[in-house]
Amino acid sequence: MEETKKRIRRSVEERAAELDKKIQAHKDAIKALEEKKAELFRPKKRRRSDAELAKELFSKAKKAGMSSRDIAEKLGLELE
């Protein structure tokens, strides 16, 4: 004869707790998807070209009171 396994019956509280866990997992997944969606609509930062960066650095150095010769000297360049 075959032995049959008896089914373990869980209480209502245990089943409710399991469902709560599943609900929370789905809420977390929805939140992650909403964040991805919001990211699509956020403006992306514009990348500046090397020329723009150099111009900005040069203007900031000028504002700090450095001359062209001072800047070249700091960079280790020789000006004629």
Side-chain angles (χ1 to χ4, degrees):
M1 291 179 81
E2 281 185 38
E3 290 184 33
T4 57
K5 292 184 181 180
K6 291 198 176 192
R7 194 171 126 197
I8 299 173
R9 294 184 186 239
R10 295 177 294 158
S11 69
V12 173
E13 291 82 18
E14 289 174 330
R15 291 188 306 194
E18 185 179 324
L19 289 174
D20 285 338
K21 278 198 255 183
K22 288 181 180 181
I23 289 170
Q24 188 60 45
H26 286 285
K27 283 182 181 179
D28 293 341
I30 289 170
K31 185 176 180 181
L33 290 172
E34 286 174 343
E35 288 173 4
K36 283 184 179 181
K37 180 182 174 185
E39 181 67 31
L40 291 174
F41 292 105
R42 264 188 224 122
K44 294 196 176 14
K45 290 184 179 179
R46 188 177 75 84
R47 289 187 173 205
R48 294 178 287 184
S49 68
D50 288 340
E52 289 173 324
L53 287 173
K55 187 175 181 180
E56 184 179 336
L57 289 172
F58 194 74
S59 68
K60 285 185 179 184
K62 287 282 189 179
K63 283 182 184 177
M66 296 177 75
S67 69
S68 300
R69 293 196 184 277
D70 294 337
I71 296 168
E73 187 178 305
K74 293 273 185 186
L75 293 173
L77 302 175
E78 290 183 24
L79 290 179
E80 295 178 16

